[in-house]
Amino acid sequence: MNQLTNLSPADQLAQHEQEAKDLTRILPASKKVYIQGSRPDIQVPMREIELTDTPTGLGGEKNPPVMVYDTSGVYTDPNVKIDLNQGLPNVRETWIAERNDTERLNTLTSKFGQERLKDIRTAEIRFAHIQKPRRAKAGHNVSQMHYAKQGIITPEMEYIAIRENQRQREGVDMRQHAGQNFGAHNLMEITPEFVRKEVAEGRAIIPANINHPECEPMIIGRNFLVKINANIGNSALGSSIDEEVAKMTWATRWGADTIMDLSTGKNIHETREWIIRNSPVPIGTVPIYQALEKVDGVAEDLTWEIFKDTLIEQAEQGVDYFTIHAGVLLRYVPLTANRLTGIVSRGGSIMAQWCLAHHEENFLYTHFDEICEIMKAYDVSFSLGDGLRPGCIQDANDEAQFSELRTLGELTHRAWQHDVQVMIEGPGHVPMHMVKENMDLQLEVCQEAPFYTLGPLTTDIAPGYDHITSAIGAAMIGWYGTAMLCYVTPKEHLGLPNKKDVKDGIITYKIAAHAADLAKGHPGAQVRDNALSKARFEFRWEDQFNLSLDPDTARSMHDETMPKEAHKSAHFCSMCGPKFCSMKITQNVRDYAQNQQHAEQATSSQTVIEDGLKTMKSVYHEQGQKLYHKV
Amino acid sequence: MNQLTNLSPADQLAQHEQEAKDLTRILPASKKVYIQGSRPDIQVPMREIELTDTPTGLGGEKNPPVMVYDTSGVYTDPNVKIDLNQGLPNVRETWIAERNDTERLNTLTSKFGQERLKDIRTAEIRFAHIQKPRRAKAGHNVSQMHYAKQGIITPEMEYIAIRENQRQREGVDMRQHAGQNFGAHNLMEITPEFVRKEVAEGRAIIPANINHPECEPMIIGRNFLVKINANIGNSALGSSIDEEVAKMTWATRWGADTIMDLSTGKNIHETREWIIRNSPVPIGTVPIYQALEKVDGVAEDLTWEIFKDTLIEQAEQGVDYFTIHAGVLLRYVPLTANRLTGIVSRGGSIMAQWCLAHHEENFLYTHFDEICEIMKAYDVSFSLGDGLRPGCIQDANDEAQFSELRTLGELTHRAWQHDVQVMIEGPGHVPMHMVKENMDLQLEVCQEAPFYTLGPLTTDIAPGYDHITSAIGAAMIGWYGTAMLCYVTPKEHLGLPNKKDVKDGIITYKIAAHAADLAKGHPGAQVRDNALSKARFEFRWEDQFNLSLDPDTARSMHDETMPKEAHKSAHFCSMCGPKFCSMKITQNVRDYAQNQQHAEQATSSQTVIEDGLKTMKSVYHEQGQKLYHKV
């Protein structure tokens, strides 16, 4: 894509025709389906993967389609015309409106927002159809947690219940291992009431700003499917708005459950508007990044007023969750002095710098209740930032990190008193044997509020491969109970990820999240594995590709060795060649076992007869060897 | 490379000049060093990575070089001229000869080997300098275990002790976490005697065929660094000898500790000769693959005689370990009938097919003692194959798999009675929560004989990314105690890996193995992490690249965002940009903490004075408020 700045929206679309086509192409053998809820406007999207029949020689049965969780929004719905200039359809508009506890404002509340709207220098890059924002009516709290605590099941909750169940058809192989879930509660079927209860009790959050009605509701909590987040965002050094929008749409296509826009360069406000209006998944931000831009990068010049205006600015755009580093307390800062890599969280460093410069307590901590007031007026969820997370293996699990975590536990309770939804951010860099300690302490001090970790990376020696060093830690901590995994791309520590890096990061984290679901024994998690394994066993190559997380890559790798179409139905693979095949032999084993069973049954029938004869014989003896007896 | 078949050796070399250059290029900022042992011919190779100084603003100190384990052989020694046609120099020749328990045979013992040597059709592709093989003199056992049990410390053992210690220089940051090693014994310094004891007691093996004197000794055992294996080998469908030799050399360059040649196509014998003569690491094979080729792919036509001849053929070429599926017993075969994917091990299927066809016990089991006799005449180690390993998540840890494992435990004891070295192969496909059960059972029934696992893959839904699905399981099982991890490439289940796939697989498995070393708390394992983290903190970009597992990739990813040379010494990274940097702030924190400490010390001196005054005051009061007292 070219810079949006140089082109009118119409020109852009014309230029991006091929990209738009690629973006809206449905995945192979897939069908976008919608499951209707209790009312016609609850239409929960899923992707149904069609499978071919088992070859006749192997039984010839029909293989039912497999339903998979779908984060791609209407981009993969052939019936919806995508127009990035218009933004996505409003899924939640009616639900929000009919609750009658919000009002549309005549203008933006944030001073900065108002200024940007009038700024002619940004006119060309501004999203054209900005709606007036909604805000809770005075005295109202519009958070999903607030409704949940009052026993209200919102349409969002019902939508999520349907979505999490990933309705499977009859005949699907539901076998799976029992799993070990460390005290989580993975239900066989998720009900709307269960969703409500989990949100009410703080174990799960539904990031769903009333100003992001385009968002398809989803849930983050350890008793649901493990989710993944993808970070995008430009920096002072590169990347334009259209590139970031493209990354967002591609990220959701490949399976990102939420997106964080971490932009730090110019035009943060406008970039975010484009992203939110076109995002089917919740958007998170770190508002302190933008606040810092407003004070020209000088951390000590930050004030509560500037930060507050930034929160409102972003809340009215529709950001669904805010990372807020309110746990970086002044007294914890010196605890990082002897670390190998000090403070590596950007937000953490900013707040540490501010605290030191003023020798005052972190204003995010001292103004925490005021922040909660803003959060509940728009239903923005907290992602309590771990500003003191370790930046390398050596610094893992130290006093600075765990002190902050305990404070995050305290803040969780304060947020809950406001009925504001909370999740907690976690590390970072942790060797494998120290991963569980993080999860255990978080569950304890944050009372099961969802944990949201960045990896963790399990070694520091592989820059260029940190999607992998971290997927190991991510899979493990997901298994232990982390609700959402923040992806790491191959470019971590090296540069800004491009589209390919975003894809590699996402697929890797889909693997980690799914491995965690399997290990927890999350109901239905193994369906896709079973279907793919069966396809593999039966040499249904196309089904293997289509069931995989990345069908294009699977297909193209296969074609490198065996490019011919005929090979896709061949009963052998490139490892063994056509003459010998281990899969074929298994069929012989089955025949053998069946014959053996028949033989055993035959033997056992024989045994019954013989036993019967023996019994009769003894009866005959007992009864004096007479064949006939008087009645 | 082109087919060796069409070119004379001289032509090949001319054609491969660029590849040869790439192959012998030493890694950036690295120096090949040799540490001498107790005798001048023990020269243990290592790679020393030079580091730059810390920038003046951050203290300006010298950073000592970091020593890393080096599997690349003399390919990265600029003083050695590489000639693939000649093979590598003989590291171990003298040691083997001076033990005086072997003899050079006048001809090959194997019938097949003799035939191939005379076959004019293979003359052109034959390695030109085949030596006459060595074999133990009658009545002798030349296994490292045999020497070890007699209390002999071989030069190989001393070599390994030096190699495992990875000698670190003064000033290197040796801090690391304590680790959790589940009962392993990770010594601070590995002595030759410790190596001997571990081999004698079967907890470690030194795969070192007397006919592979080119091999640089290495060890596989849970009390040593976790190792990785890379599989190469052609199939009936593709790849030529020169491609396989190239894969082997590249694989060792990137860090493969052993190589398995799994060729199943034509010219297996000649391919293997080329690979062994040019390999600085142990070579493993699955002899049943070649035996099957000899009976034209018909498993039921296999005989003990054909197999035995194959073992001798390969032992005399210099194969260091054999995968032998002697645990696939007839009675276990029907246990796989109800599996989702039956038997997926190629060797397992072959033996299952043979057992069923003959309704006889596996001839590898019934002839096990005879196999041991061959093994000890050449010092070939067993890699007892897990022919019944699960082929998918659903089939993990079932009765078939664990029954076979128990039999492998029994065979381990039988091999040890012959003083033959043994490791045990493990799965495969296992969800995370069921991984540890594999390790625990293996340690128990095989009495700590080294475990050698293939991954395991932790989910089946990501063909094209199975290096990652399996690295998760590999890292975990390595932590739990697995001694060597068999890599999985992205092409697993899809096709034959090319050079890029081999590299991706190896780097991924170096990550898994290293993450395991860190989690076990293996002494010195964290040195490289610490050095890289410090370089990162100090923005020494070049040092970060050079310390990483794959410097080329790290550098090129960095250059995508910040290509200018000047940026490599810039005190910021692309994520934050030049204006704000979290690393910079940490320096402020340190200054603050130091000032605070000074203040505290000042305060505390003040306190001492005040306390002193108070004490004096009370003394003054106690003693009746008189300033002067009589002595």
Side-chain angles (χ1 to χ4, degrees):
Chain A
M1 282 197 187
N2 284 298
Q3 286 267 1
L4 286 173
T5 41
N6 304 327
L7 293 167
S8 79
D11 287 345
Q12 290 163 35
L13 280 179
Q15 287 229 349
H16 303 160
E17 206 178 342
Q18 188 51 51
E19 175 129 2
K21 255 188 207 159
D22 285 348
L23 197 63
T24 53
R25 184 171 52 92
I26 184 122
L27 287 160
S30 295
K31 208 165 66 185
K32 187 97 179 177
V33 294
Y34 293 92
I35 311 293
Q36 189 172 313
S38 64
R39 40 190 277 182
D41 66 351
I42 297 181
Q43 295 287 343
V44 185
M46 295 185 192
R47 180 160 67 93
E48 191 177 80
I49 306 170
E50 291 287 330
L51 303 181
T52 62
D53 298 345
T54 295
T56 324
L58 295 169
E61 81 264 23
K62 294 248 168 264
N63 292 295
V66 169
M67 203 72 101
V68 298
Y69 195 101
D70 186 1
T71 58
S72 66
V74 291
Y75 291 104
T76 52
D77 184 340
N79 300 320
V80 176
K81 186 159 167 43
I82 300 296
D83 180 354
L84 297 178
N85 286 303
Q86 292 292 336
L88 295 179
N90 289 340
V91 179
R92 298 169 55 228
E93 186 61 38
T94 324
W95 311 339
I96 295 163
E98 72 187 15
R99 287 196 276 261
N100 204 24
D101 51 5
T102 58
E103 57 192 356
R104 269 211 192 279
L105 305 175
N106 285 324
T107 179
L108 302 177
T109 311
S110 138
K111 235 175 83 183
F112 184 86
Q114 288 168 16
E115 281 165 17
R116 289 302 272 200
L117 210 50
K118 285 180 287 192
D119 192 337
I120 64 160
R121 287 169 305 176
T122 58
E124 270 193 10
I125 58 163
R126 199 174 300 142
F127 186 80
H129 308 281
I130 299 180
Q131 277 220 321
K132 300 265 183 274
R134 275 187 191 278
R135 191 176 62 193
K137 288 180 183 166
H140 281 270
N141 179 338
V142 298
S143 84
Q144 293 286 325
M145 187 184 216
H146 185 67
Y147 304 134
K149 281 189 176 177
Q150 292 168 76
I152 297 167
I153 294 173
T154 61
E156 284 89 343
M157 296 171 196
E158 187 189 337
Y159 186 107
I160 284 163
I162 296 168
R163 195 172 194 184
E164 288 281 325
N165 284 326
Q166 294 181 79
R167 197 169 73 166
Q168 297 298 346
R169 296 293 166 82
E170 227 170 277
V172 161
D173 181 355
M174 291 286 290
R175 279 182 298 172
Q176 78 178 67
H177 299 289
Q180 150 67 301
N181 67 11
F182 304 100
H185 297 282
N186 304 104
L187 297 192
M188 266 314 289
E189 190 175 349
I190 288 164
T191 60
E193 167 54 21
F194 181 70
V195 172
R196 186 203 62 73
K197 189 159 175 286
E198 291 290 296
V199 172
E201 294 174 6
R203 273 190 305 275
I205 67 169
I206 300 173
N209 186 321
I210 52 172
N211 290 308
H212 189 198
E214 301 90 345
C215 181
E216 297 176 349
M218 57 78 69
I219 195 160
I220 301 166
R222 74 194 275 234
N223 297 325
F224 301 93
L225 291 163
V226 176
K227 304 302 188 296
I228 69 161
N229 171 70
N231 292 334
I232 59 169
N234 58 8
S235 84
L237 292 176
S239 178
S240 61
I241 293 181
D242 56 329
E243 280 175 283
E244 296 309 316
V245 172
K247 279 186 205 164
M248 179 277 293
T249 50
W250 281 106
T252 55
R253 177 181 177 83
W254 292 314
D257 293 288
T258 77
I259 298 280
M260 287 196 82
D261 172 17
L262 303 183
S263 293
T264 58
K266 52 183 179 176
N267 307 325
I268 299 184
H269 180 88
E270 288 70 26
T271 304
R272 188 166 46 237
E273 189 76 35
W274 277 96
I275 290 173
I276 295 172
R277 297 289 74 83
N278 286 292
S279 173
V281 304
I283 298 296
T285 63
V286 189
I288 203 81
Y289 290 180
Q290 191 187 0
L292 187 71
E293 300 283 331
K294 292 178 183 175
V295 294
D296 215 23
V298 183
E300 39 276 49
D301 291 352
L302 282 166
T303 63
W304 160 241
E305 286 67 32
I306 288 167
F307 185 75
K308 181 182 171 184
D309 194 69
T310 308
L311 287 187
I312 294 170
E313 171 202 345
Q314 298 198 9
E316 293 191 352
Q317 284 187 304
V319 173
D320 300 286
Y321 63 89
F322 287 152
T323 292
I324 298 203
H325 298 93
V328 180
L329 300 192
L330 178 59
R331 66 180 181 276
Y332 300 155
V333 173
L335 297 177
T336 65
N338 291 323
R339 279 180 165 184
L340 187 53
T341 56
I343 301 175
V344 295
S345 149
R346 214 170 163 264
S349 318
I350 295 168
M351 295 321 300
Q353 172 79 350
W354 189 93
C355 290
L356 294 191
H358 295 271
H359 203 82
E360 268 177 37
E361 194 49 282
N362 183 338
F363 65 79
L364 303 173
Y365 182 80
T366 55
H367 290 271
F368 194 74
D369 290 308
E370 286 162 87
I371 297 173
C372 289
E373 293 298 337
I374 298 167
M375 306 297 259
K376 65 192 183 195
Y378 304 94
D379 198 8
V380 184
S381 298
F382 273 112
S383 181
L384 290 176
D386 57 337
L388 303 181
R389 68 167 178 265
C392 65
I393 290 295
Q394 175 57 28
D395 295 342
N397 295 19
D398 71 355
E399 192 46 37
Q401 184 198 333
F402 283 166
S403 297
E404 182 188 29
L405 181 55
R406 284 185 207 100
T407 297
L408 299 185
E410 173 206 325
L411 293 173
T412 300
H413 286 278
R414 277 169 66 189
W416 284 350
Q417 282 163 5
H418 288 272
D419 294 357
V420 170
Q421 307 188 88
V422 188
M423 62 181 169
I424 313 292
E425 293 183 10
H429 298 242
V430 186
M432 279 190 287
H433 69 296
M434 295 165 76
V435 169
K436 192 154 185 296
E437 189 183 3
N438 280 275
M439 190 71 236
D440 291 345
L441 184 62
Q442 192 274 345
L443 284 173
E444 181 201 327
V445 301
C446 302
Q447 302 221 335
E448 288 193 80
F451 205 24
Y452 166 33
T453 62
L454 179 71
L457 284 75
T458 53
T459 166
D460 293 325
I461 67 167
Y465 298 82
D466 279 334
H467 58 315
I468 299 175
T469 64
S470 67
I472 295 167
M476 291 172 72
I477 207 162
W479 168 28
Y480 299 150
T482 290
M484 184 156 78
L485 307 171
C486 183
Y487 87 165
V488 172
T489 77
K491 285 261 178 64
E492 183 80 14
H493 300 117
L494 295 170
L496 280 183
N498 58 27
K499 244 170 55 179
K500 164 87 168 78
D501 299 317
V502 168
K503 179 174 178 181
D504 285 346
I506 288 178
I507 302 291
T508 303
Y509 270 68
K510 294 302 278 186
I511 289 168
H514 185 72
D517 286 332
L518 288 177
K520 287 165 78 175
H522 192 84
Q526 207 183 295
V527 166
R528 195 171 180 176
D529 295 78
N530 292 350
L532 198 149
S533 299
K534 184 165 188 276
R536 182 170 284 157
F537 181 67
E538 294 172 354
F539 289 98
R540 289 183 278 117
W541 286 103
E542 288 293 341
D543 289 349
Q544 283 184 69
F545 307 150
N546 297 338
L547 282 164
S548 70
L549 284 178
D550 178 4
D552 300 343
T553 297
R555 180 174 285 104
S556 75
M557 283 192 176
H558 176 268
D559 288 358
E560 272 180 51
T561 311
M562 300 203 294
K564 289 186 213 117
E565 266 315 301
H567 273 142
K568 298 227 183 59
S569 55
H571 274 214
F572 58 86
C573 53
S574 56
M575 275 70 71
C576 296
K579 207 154 58 178
F580 177 83
C581 168
S582 55
M583 292 291 194
K584 221 160 67 183
I585 288 180
T586 302
Q587 202 50 47
N588 299 345
V589 173
R590 290 189 179 169
D591 296 344
Y592 173 82
Q594 203 160 25
N595 289 341
Q596 202 183 39
Q597 211 175 13
H598 286 159
E600 269 168 21
Q601 276 168 359
T603 314
S604 111
S605 315
Q606 190 59 32
T607 312
V608 171
I609 296 166
E610 282 171 10
D611 284 355
L613 285 175
K614 275 186 203 153
T615 310
M616 287 314 292
K617 196 173 160 188
S618 63
V619 169
Y620 177 71
H621 282 283
E622 277 165 18
Q623 298 184 346
Q625 305 194 350
K626 288 176 199 153
L627 270 173
Y628 302 96
H629 307 281
K630 284 183 187 160
V631 186
Chain B
M1 285 198 187
N2 285 299
Q3 285 268 359
L4 288 173
T5 38
N6 305 327
L7 294 166
S8 80
D11 288 344
Q12 290 163 34
L13 279 179
Q15 286 230 348
H16 303 161
E17 207 178 342
Q18 187 51 50
E19 174 128 4
K21 256 190 207 158
D22 287 348
L23 197 61
T24 53
R25 183 172 53 93
I26 184 124
L27 286 159
S30 295
K31 208 165 64 184
K32 186 99 183 178
V33 296
Y34 293 91
I35 310 292
Q36 190 172 312
S38 64
R39 44 190 273 182
D41 67 350
I42 296 182
Q43 296 287 343
V44 184
M46 294 184 194
R47 179 161 67 94
E48 191 178 79
I49 306 171
E50 291 287 330
L51 302 181
T52 62
D53 299 344
T54 296
T56 324
L58 295 170
E61 81 264 21
K62 294 247 169 267
N63 293 295
V66 169
M67 203 72 103
V68 297
Y69 195 102
D70 187 0
T71 57
S72 66
V74 292
Y75 290 104
T76 53
D77 185 340
N79 300 319
V80 176
K81 186 159 165 46
I82 299 297
D83 180 353
L84 297 178
N85 287 304
Q86 293 293 336
L88 296 180
N90 288 340
V91 179
R92 298 170 53 229
E93 185 62 37
T94 324
W95 311 338
I96 296 163
E98 71 187 16
R99 286 195 277 262
N100 204 23
D101 51 4
T102 59
E103 58 193 354
R104 271 209 194 280
L105 305 175
N106 285 323
T107 179
L108 302 177
T109 312
S110 136
K111 235 176 81 182
F112 183 85
Q114 289 168 13
E115 282 165 17
R116 289 302 273 201
L117 210 49
K118 285 179 285 189
D119 193 337
I120 62 161
R121 287 168 306 175
T122 59
E124 271 193 9
I125 58 165
R126 200 175 300 142
F127 185 81
H129 308 281
I130 299 180
Q131 278 221 320
K132 300 261 183 278
R134 274 188 191 279
R135 191 176 61 192
K137 287 180 183 165
H140 283 268
N141 179 339
V142 298
S143 84
Q144 294 286 325
M145 187 183 215
H146 185 67
Y147 304 134
K149 281 188 177 176
Q150 291 168 77
I152 298 167
I153 294 173
T154 62
E156 285 88 342
M157 295 171 196
E158 187 189 337
Y159 187 108
I160 285 164
I162 296 168
R163 194 172 196 185
E164 288 281 325
N165 284 326
Q166 294 182 81
R167 198 170 72 165
Q168 297 298 345
R169 295 294 167 82
E170 229 170 277
V172 161
D173 182 357
M174 290 286 291
R175 279 182 297 172
Q176 79 177 66
H177 299 288
Q180 150 66 301
N181 67 10
F182 305 100
H185 297 282
N186 304 105
L187 296 193
M188 265 314 289
E189 190 175 347
I190 288 165
T191 61
E193 166 56 20
F194 181 71
V195 173
R196 185 204 62 76
K197 190 160 174 285
E198 290 291 296
V199 172
E201 294 174 6
R203 275 189 302 275
I205 67 168
I206 299 173
N209 186 321
I210 52 171
N211 289 308
H212 188 196
E214 302 90 345
C215 182
E216 298 175 349
M218 56 79 70
I219 195 160
I220 302 166
R222 74 193 276 235
N223 297 324
F224 301 93
L225 290 162
V226 175
K227 304 300 187 298
I228 69 161
N229 170 71
N231 293 334
I232 59 169
N234 58 9
S235 83
L237 291 175
S239 179
S240 61
I241 293 180
D242 56 330
E243 281 174 284
E244 297 308 317
V245 173
K247 278 186 206 165
M248 179 277 292
T249 50
W250 282 106
T252 55
R253 177 180 176 82
W254 292 313
D257 294 287
T258 78
I259 298 279
M260 288 196 81
D261 172 16
L262 303 184
S263 294
T264 58
K266 51 183 180 176
N267 306 325
I268 300 184
H269 180 88
E270 288 70 25
T271 304
R272 188 166 47 239
E273 189 75 35
W274 277 96
I275 290 174
I276 294 172
R277 297 290 72 84
N278 286 293
S279 173
V281 304
I283 299 295
T285 62
V286 188
I288 203 81
Y289 290 0
Q290 191 188 1
L292 187 72
E293 299 283 332
K294 293 177 182 175
V295 294
D296 215 23
V298 182
E300 40 275 49
D301 291 354
L302 282 166
T303 63
W304 161 241
E305 286 67 33
I306 289 169
F307 185 76
K308 181 182 170 183
D309 193 71
T310 307
L311 287 186
I312 295 170
E313 169 201 345
Q314 299 198 8
E316 294 192 351
Q317 285 186 302
V319 173
D320 301 285
Y321 62 89
F322 286 152
T323 292
I324 297 203
H325 299 93
V328 179
L329 300 192
L330 178 60
R331 65 179 181 277
Y332 302 154
V333 174
L335 297 176
T336 65
N338 291 322
R339 281 180 164 184
L340 188 51
T341 56
I343 301 176
V344 295
S345 149
R346 210 167 167 267
S349 316
I350 295 168
M351 294 322 300
Q353 172 78 350
W354 189 92
C355 290
L356 294 190
H358 295 271
H359 203 83
E360 268 178 36
E361 195 50 280
N362 182 339
F363 63 79
L364 303 173
Y365 182 82
T366 55
H367 290 270
F368 194 74
D369 291 306
E370 286 162 88
I371 296 174
C372 290
E373 294 296 337
I374 298 168
M375 305 299 259
K376 63 192 184 197
Y378 304 94
D379 197 9
V380 184
S381 299
F382 273 113
S383 182
L384 290 176
D386 56 336
L388 303 181
R389 67 166 179 266
C392 65
I393 291 294
Q394 173 58 28
D395 294 343
N397 295 18
D398 70 355
E399 192 47 35
Q401 184 198 332
F402 284 165
S403 297
E404 181 188 30
L405 180 54
R406 283 185 208 100
T407 297
L408 298 185
E410 172 205 325
L411 294 173
T412 300
H413 287 278
R414 277 169 66 188
W416 285 349
Q417 283 164 4
H418 288 271
D419 295 356
V420 170
Q421 307 188 89
V422 188
M423 61 180 170
I424 313 292
E425 294 183 10
H429 298 242
V430 186
M432 281 190 285
H433 69 296
M434 295 165 76
V435 169
K436 191 152 186 299
E437 188 182 4
N438 280 275
M439 190 70 235
D440 291 345
L441 184 62
Q442 192 274 344
L443 284 173
E444 182 201 325
V445 302
C446 303
Q447 302 221 337
E448 289 192 79
F451 205 24
Y452 167 33
T453 62
L454 179 71
L457 284 74
T458 53
T459 167
D460 293 325
I461 67 169
Y465 297 82
D466 278 333
H467 58 316
I468 301 175
T469 63
S470 67
I472 296 167
M476 292 173 71
I477 206 161
W479 168 28
Y480 299 149
T482 290
M484 185 157 77
L485 307 170
C486 183
Y487 88 165
V488 171
T489 77
K491 284 263 177 64
E492 183 80 15
H493 300 118
L494 295 169
L496 279 184
N498 59 27
K499 242 170 56 179
K500 166 86 169 80
D501 299 316
V502 169
K503 178 173 180 182
D504 285 345
I506 287 178
I507 302 290
T508 303
Y509 270 68
K510 293 303 275 186
I511 290 169
H514 184 71
D517 286 332
L518 288 177
K520 286 165 77 175
H522 192 83
Q526 208 183 293
V527 166
R528 194 172 181 175
D529 296 77
N530 292 349
L532 198 149
S533 299
K534 184 165 187 278
R536 183 171 282 158
F537 180 66
E538 296 173 354
F539 289 99
R540 290 183 278 118
W541 286 105
E542 287 293 342
D543 289 350
Q544 282 184 69
F545 306 150
N546 297 337
L547 283 163
S548 70
L549 285 178
D550 178 4
D552 300 343
T553 297
R555 181 173 284 103
S556 76
M557 282 192 177
H558 175 269
D559 289 357
E560 271 180 52
T561 311
M562 300 202 294
K564 289 187 214 116
E565 265 316 301
H567 273 140
K568 298 226 182 60
S569 55
H571 274 213
F572 58 86
C573 55
S574 58
M575 276 71 71
C576 296
K579 207 154 56 178
F580 177 85
C581 168
S582 54
M583 292 291 193
K584 222 159 64 183
I585 288 179
T586 303
Q587 201 50 46
N588 300 346
V589 173
R590 288 189 180 170
D591 296 344
Y592 173 83
Q594 204 159 23
N595 290 340
Q596 203 184 37
Q597 212 175 11
H598 286 158
E600 268 169 20
Q601 276 168 359
T603 315
S604 111
S605 315
Q606 190 57 32
T607 313
V608 170
I609 296 168
E610 282 170 10
D611 285 356
L613 285 174
K614 273 185 206 154
T615 309
M616 286 315 291
K617 197 173 160 186
S618 63
V619 168
Y620 176 69
H621 281 283
E622 277 165 18
Q623 299 184 346
Q625 304 193 353
K626 290 173 197 153
L627 270 173
Y628 302 96
H629 306 282
K630 286 182 183 158
V631 185

